[in-house]
Every structure is written in structure tokens, then in C-alpha cells.
Amino acid sequence: MPGAIYAEGLVKTFGDVRALDGVDLDVPEGTVLGLLGPNGAGKTTTVRVLTTLLQPDRGRAVVAGIDVLKHPNEVRRSIGLSGQFAAVDEYLTGRENLQMVGRLYQMKARAAKARTAELLERFNLADAADRPAKTYSGGMRRRLDLAAALVVSPPVMFMDEPTTGLDPRNRQQLWGIIQELVAGGTTLLLTTQYLEEADHLAHDIAVVDHGKVIARGTSDQLKARTGGERVEVVVHERDRIASAREVLAGFGKGETSVEEHTRKLTVPVSGGAKLLAEVIRELDGRGIEIDDIGLRRPTLDDVFISLTGHGAERDAEQDAAPHDGDGGHAGAAAARSRAAEGREAARKETAR
């Protein structure tokens, strides 16, 4: 049986750009899949297809047991979506925005008000609840947008880089909310460029590049593929970089990278603290003075570079995607349209 989110052979092109090139996904119910990859890899396009905002050129997708292409309206009633950019009506207050979303989902007025109050408290927006959203900071708008996606507690959630723009405290708070949702049975597809976010939240991770899933596994499994550990050395004198590189090459399991301006060298290794002690002895034996040395696990950049051959790059899929009225950003257009239609109703509802 396919999972709560299932995709097979998704293909989507925008002119000469092949944003999706046969994407396959299967997310079991009540779990979190982290979708990682460089900018332009196809993450956002995948989310748009699965949330009915784009039609694929080929392939099939099923969300919450419903065929995305055959029954898009039913899919929309079963999902929540928080996109990369906050889709809130800046002329409505935070309270009005959330109540409007509830009413658009046919919630009773009293239930919409109660849910709004709960979410405002949960996202630390209660003090600003009756201010227009246009007076909110970027982080506050982001939190309001995330709260709107949770108004109806859908069984399947899509979050496209949800913590971008949030400070560490609010990011941690959102992680807690996501964990509560999943513990209650919600299935989540999460795109992110923060490896620590995937570490915290994802049961499984899929790495996407050039429109294809090129690796899948747990965070630890992916890190192990890039070399489980890294030795980082900062030499005291710039002219000893070459000598230090020579030393590290004798211990490394891959290429040594060098940052000339910081005098830092990094090499993938295996062997833990024992190997680190050997590296220190060898550097000392060669008379190479160091300012710092340490052993660390791979970072997200290490995973990107190891699996894709490059780091983050220009977001080609954003540039290639059609805008309002033709897929792409149609969700934002629809949200703005619904907001305009519901603005007066929301104000009247709040005034009751």
C-alpha cells in the first residue's frame, strides 16, 4: 500500500529546464520526510505538484489516498500548505487572517475564533493579534502563515522551508509544534536546507538534485555516505597551509578542502578521537603550529557537495516556474483572491 504521500515518475519541464526528472517518493502515514537539495534541485516544484498547484507532464501522485490529478479539490481539503513566502493579507489583523482561513474551510464562527486564539498563543502572536499584518516583522509574518496552515489540523502537511527567517527560539518552538502534530498522526513533507532541522524532525530524508532523488536514508546514513567525520585544522601561519595539507592527506578518506582566508583545512576521516590525537602528533612533529583543531560530523554543505558535486546554486526552478494564473505561484494568487473576497466578512466576524 502506498503511503500517505506517494509519487511515481513525476516529470515537469519549464521550457528548457527539466525541474522534475522522474521523482519517486513514498511517505508512510504519521512520519516526516525531509526533502533536501541545493537551490533549483526541484524541491519546491515537487511540493507544488503534490499540492495541486502544478500539473506534472508525466507521472502520478496520491496524497491522503486521493489521486492528485483526478481529484484535486478533494486533495486540497485533506492537506495543509506553508510555502516559502508568507501568504497573509497584510491589511487584515493577525486575528482576522486566521479567522478568515477557518471560515473559508467552513468552520463554525465560534470554532474558528477558538482555534484562532489557540494558535495566536501558540505562535507568540497574541500581543500583536489585533494589529494589521503589514506592521509585522518578517519573522512574525512567517509565524502567522504557519499558523494559518494549521487552522484545520489536516492529516497531511507540506512545509516548504518553514523556518526561513525565524530566530532560533521561534525555530525551536515550531519544531515542537511539528513534533506534536506528527505524534498525533499527521504526515509531513518538509523541504529544508538546515540539516539540523532534518536531524530533529525527519524520520527519513530524500536528497534531490537536477529533478531526481539521488539518495535516501536517515540523517546518519546520509552523513556516513559523505564520510562520517571531519578533521578541521586552523594553522597559525598561512605559509604552512601546504605542509598541513600534506599531513591531512595521509589521514583523510577524501579530498582536503582549504579556506585560504581563514587558514582552515578540512578533510573527511574515520577513526574518531584516536585519529585526531595522531593528527596532532604529526603536525607537532613537523613543527606546524595550529590555532585550533577539532573533530566534527558532516554539515549540510558536506552532504550537498558529496552527493551532488556542488553546493547551493541559483534557484533555477523559481525562475523557470510560471507565475500567477499558470501554475507556479497560482497558490499565492488564489490566496490573495480569497483574502480579498473574505476581508470584509472577517472584519464583521471579529466585531461580533
Side-chain angles (χ1 to χ4, degrees):
M1 285 287 292
I5 302 172
Y6 177 78
E8 181 181 356
L10 294 180
V11 173
K12 183 65 183 178
T13 58
F14 301 109
D16 295 332
V17 177
R18 200 172 181 86
L20 300 182
D21 192 14
V23 168
D24 298 323
L25 296 173
D26 193 356
V27 188
E29 186 175 344
T31 66
V32 180
L33 175 69
L35 207 58
L36 303 181
N39 289 334
K43 304 185 301 295
T44 295
T45 302
T46 299
V47 169
R48 288 175 179 164
V49 168
L50 294 172
T51 56
T52 77
L53 296 178
L54 279 177
Q55 284 202 348
D57 300 325
R58 292 202 303 275
R60 63 185 291 256
V62 177
V63 174
I66 306 165
D67 190 293
V68 170
L69 294 179
K70 293 179 181 177
H71 307 290
N73 288 332
E74 291 182 34
V75 170
R76 290 170 194 146
R77 285 193 286 267
S78 302
I79 64 173
L81 168 64
S82 177
Q84 284 189 10
F85 307 103
V88 299
D89 189 306
E90 64 179 13
Y91 293 102
L92 295 181
T93 67
R95 190 186 308 279
E96 289 167 346
N97 265 285
L98 297 186
Q99 288 187 182
M100 180 184 66
V101 171
R103 297 297 278 155
L104 288 170
Y105 274 100
Q106 282 86 53
M107 292 177 70
K108 299 288 187 183
R110 183 173 296 178
K113 286 182 179 181
R115 182 63 172 159
T116 292
E118 177 189 347
L119 289 168
L120 289 169
E121 286 289 344
R122 212 169 182 188
F123 283 87
N124 290 332
L125 291 169
D127 290 344
D130 298 311
R131 282 168 38 196
K134 65 181 179 181
T135 68
Y136 285 14
S137 67
M140 291 171 70
R141 289 190 188 203
R142 191 64 177 145
R143 280 182 277 148
L144 182 62
D145 180 66
L146 291 167
L150 298 175
V151 167
V152 293
S153 301
V156 178
M157 279 287 299
F158 294 87
M159 292 188 174
D160 195 4
E161 301 191 12
T163 59
T164 299
L166 296 185
D167 60 38
R169 182 172 65 87
N170 285 311
R171 182 175 296 161
Q172 291 276 351
Q173 182 185 43
L174 177 62
W175 288 354
I177 292 170
I178 290 173
Q179 287 168 330
E180 289 175 19
L181 286 170
V182 175
T186 299
T187 305
L188 173 64
L189 189 147
L190 168 80
T191 78
T192 181
Q193 293 195 36
Y194 299 116
L195 188 57
E196 70 272 19
E197 192 156 273
D199 276 333
H200 238 83
L201 301 173
H203 297 89
D204 209 8
I205 295 171
V207 180
V208 181
D209 192 35
H210 296 299
K212 297 179 180 179
V213 176
I214 61 171
R216 182 158 181 173
T218 66
S219 177
D220 285 340
Q221 289 169 341
L222 293 177
K223 289 175 184 177
R225 287 184 59 169
T226 67
E229 298 165 315
R230 298 284 189 277
V231 167
E232 283 188 346
V233 177
V234 178
V235 299
H236 184 67
E237 298 173 343
R238 196 178 305 278
D239 60 7
R240 300 310 304 272
I241 288 177
S243 300
R245 186 172 192 167
E246 212 174 282
V247 170
L248 294 180
F251 294 95
K253 300 295 182 182
E255 185 178 349
T256 302
S257 64
V258 179
E259 296 178 10
E260 293 279 351
H261 63 293
T262 60
R263 307 183 310 283
K264 183 169 76 174
L265 300 91
T266 306
V267 66
V269 298
S270 60
K274 182 179 178 182
L275 179 132
L276 183 62
E278 293 175 7
V279 173
I280 293 171
R281 280 196 295 270
E282 182 68 21
L283 290 168
D284 186 57
R286 298 236 195 153
I288 300 172
E289 188 177 352
I290 60 175
D291 290 341
D292 193 18
I293 188 167
L295 191 69
R296 65 164 176 81
R297 302 182 75 192
T299 65
L300 180 59
D301 278 346
D302 296 327
V303 174
F304 277 1
I305 292 167
S306 175
L307 294 175
T308 70
H310 55 80
E313 59 188 27
R314 192 164 177 259
D315 195 342
E317 62 179 313
Q318 287 282 14
D319 294 336
H323 288 260
D324 295 347
D326 191 26
H329 302 299
R336 288 194 296 270
S337 176
R338 288 195 301 269
E341 292 170 4
R343 186 176 296 156
E344 188 60 31
R347 287 201 178 98
K348 289 178 180 177
E349 197 65 53
T350 306
R352 287 184 187 178

